[in-house]
Amino acid sequence: AFAGIQEEWNLSVCLLHRLLGGDVNDVELRKTHVQKQPNKPKDDILRSNLDGFVDIADELVYDAVLTLFESKLKCVISKLEQ
């Protein structure tokens, strides 16, 4: 199984292919959804629609996936440096 990080989309796509095989296709790296409010950070835009609600379970899952993503990335980098 693989889970990437949206904020690190291009890196996620490259890591996915490095771990599971196949070549990166240009279409995978294209922006297909452009944010309508470019002056606000994404987190502010998303959270502003929630009236201050924070989904604790979602935060826990995201943190776990981020930790796993960073671990796999470090592993791949260390193998490439050998």
Side-chain angles (χ1 to χ4, degrees), residues 1 6-7 17 22 25 34 38 54 72 74:
Q6 181 181 1
E7 296 84 0
H17 286 288
N25 188 317
V34 179
V54 175
K72 287 183 178 188
K74 285 178 186 176

Side-chain angles (χ1 to χ4, degrees), residues 12-82:
S12 294
V13 170
C14 292
L15 184 59
L16 168 77
H17 286 288
R18 184 70 184 174
L19 295 173
L20 301 179
D23 295 326
V24 175
N25 188 317
D26 289 343
V27 73
E28 293 175 288
L29 304 177
R30 287 187 200 146
K31 283 190 175 184
T32 57
H33 176 74
V34 179
Q35 194 67 14
K36 301 292 183 197
Q37 299 173 341
N39 295 331
K40 291 179 102 179
K42 287 181 186 177
D43 285 348
D44 290 348
I45 294 167
L46 296 174
R47 291 180 191 271
S48 67
N49 296 331
L50 300 176
D51 293 324
F53 173 77
V54 175
D55 187 335
I56 301 299
D58 186 62
E59 296 288 327
L60 291 171
V61 170
Y62 180 86
D63 289 344
V65 169
L66 182 59
T67 299
L68 184 60
F69 177 82
E70 290 171 343
S71 173
K72 287 183 178 188
L73 183 61
K74 285 178 186 176
C75 182
V76 166
I77 290 171
S78 71
K79 286 181 181 179
L80 290 173
E81 291 176 339
Q82 293 179 354

